[in-house]
Amino acid sequence: MSEEPQNTKKPVPGYVKILAAAAVVVAVLLAVIILLPLLWPAPDEQQACLTAGQNDDEMIKVLYSTRDRGDWNCVGLMAEKILTASASNGHALYLAGEAARAGGDKTREMQHFNQYLSVEAKMNEAFEGAGPATCEFESNTLGYCPQRTGWIAYLMARNNFQTGRDSTNGQIRETFLKRAIARLDLSVEKHPQPFTAEDPKRDQLRQEINKELEKRR
């Protein structure tokens, strides 16, 4: 008569299971504590961002220094505050768009950049095509200049291309791809000189857009 093999494995004590579960909970809490400040400024930090500078001009100066140190959350908060008082401020529109881009919010990015181009077109008409040559705040308080317009148009062309390429709707694809070409043309028109390392990407982007348009014919 054969005997069933006996299970010699000892059961895990209850207190060990409790300790393991507690360790998991502690690890999750630590992760939240560490990551939350990185994802969004604490209330005190938000208040510090919103109270920087005694007026819009001073805040814009702080805005650029904050951008230079890479604090995009604070840049976004400050830029949005400036825009509540001055909706057409080119410095704030541009940096609000860049802050949204850094945070992966493409919708907000495009809203701010579209507003920038809308105001810039009216200013360009008023200046009869001879607007400020640089966007340096010290010499250009409005915040609009050809190089910035060219850069924004390039970023918008890239976003439009990605939207058109990824759409499964033929009409939407074609609309956004053609919009990407128009934005890219504007970018080159406003700033034909190289954007340093980014400039080869404009040529590459045009090739990719044309390739996608050829697929649809």
Side-chain angles (χ1 to χ4, degrees), residues 79-155:
E80 294 286 358
K81 180 183 177 181
I82 293 170
L83 291 172
T84 60
S86 180
S88 62
N89 186 290
H91 298 287
L93 283 172
Y94 166 62
L95 288 174
E98 287 284 20
R101 182 164 79 99
D105 189 342
K106 191 176 291 188
T107 299
R108 293 290 291 167
E109 175 193 351
M110 293 294 280
Q111 286 174 348
H112 288 305
F113 286 165
N114 269 314
Q115 179 66 11
Y116 174 99
L117 290 187
S118 176
V119 176
E120 190 271 348
K122 295 175 184 176
M123 286 190 169
N124 194 47
E125 183 178 339
F127 284 129
E128 296 183 351
T134 175
C135 274
E136 293 294 332
F137 175 70
E138 289 74 15
S139 60
N140 182 351
T141 57
L142 296 176
Y144 296 85
C145 66
Q147 182 175 4
R148 175 169 290 170
T149 302
W151 174 248
I152 286 175
Y154 162 70
L155 294 177

Side-chain angles (χ1 to χ4, degrees), residues 57-214:
D57 287 350
E58 287 186 15
M59 183 175 279
I60 289 171
K61 292 179 181 178
V62 178
L63 193 59
Y64 279 107
S65 63
T66 305
R67 177 205 61 179
D68 292 342
R69 70 170 186 265
D71 188 351
W72 287 108
N73 285 326
C74 194
V75 167
L77 289 170
M78 293 170 66
E80 294 286 358
K81 180 183 177 181
I82 293 170
L83 291 172
T84 60
S86 180
S88 62
N89 186 290
H91 298 287
L93 283 172
Y94 166 62
L95 288 174
E98 287 284 20
R101 182 164 79 99
D105 189 342
K106 191 176 291 188
T107 299
R108 293 290 291 167
E109 175 193 351
M110 293 294 280
Q111 286 174 348
H112 288 305
F113 286 165
N114 269 314
Q115 179 66 11
Y116 174 99
L117 290 187
S118 176
V119 176
E120 190 271 348
K122 295 175 184 176
M123 286 190 169
N124 194 47
E125 183 178 339
F127 284 129
E128 296 183 351
T134 175
C135 274
E136 293 294 332
F137 175 70
E138 289 74 15
S139 60
N140 182 351
T141 57
L142 296 176
Y144 296 85
C145 66
Q147 182 175 4
R148 175 169 290 170
T149 302
W151 174 248
I152 286 175
Y154 162 70
L155 294 177
M156 296 180 73
R158 191 172 65 181
N159 286 343
N160 286 327
F161 165 68
Q162 291 169 351
T163 300
R165 179 197 60 194
D166 298 340
S167 176
T168 57
N169 182 295
Q171 186 175 357
I172 292 176
R173 279 200 306 267
E174 185 174 357
T175 297
F176 276 90
L177 290 172
K178 288 183 176 179
R179 192 175 296 172
I181 285 288
R183 291 303 187 208
L184 197 55
D185 288 343
L186 176 63
S187 175
V188 175
E189 174 193 339
K190 291 292 183 177
H191 189 71
Q193 299 86 358
F195 284 128
T196 61
E198 288 290 338
D199 192 61
K201 294 184 180 180
R202 285 199 291 187
D203 294 336
Q204 180 183 348
L205 178 59
R206 187 179 296 278
Q207 293 173 6
E208 292 177 355
I209 296 171
N210 287 331
K211 188 184 297 183
E212 286 296 320
L213 284 169
E214 286 294 330

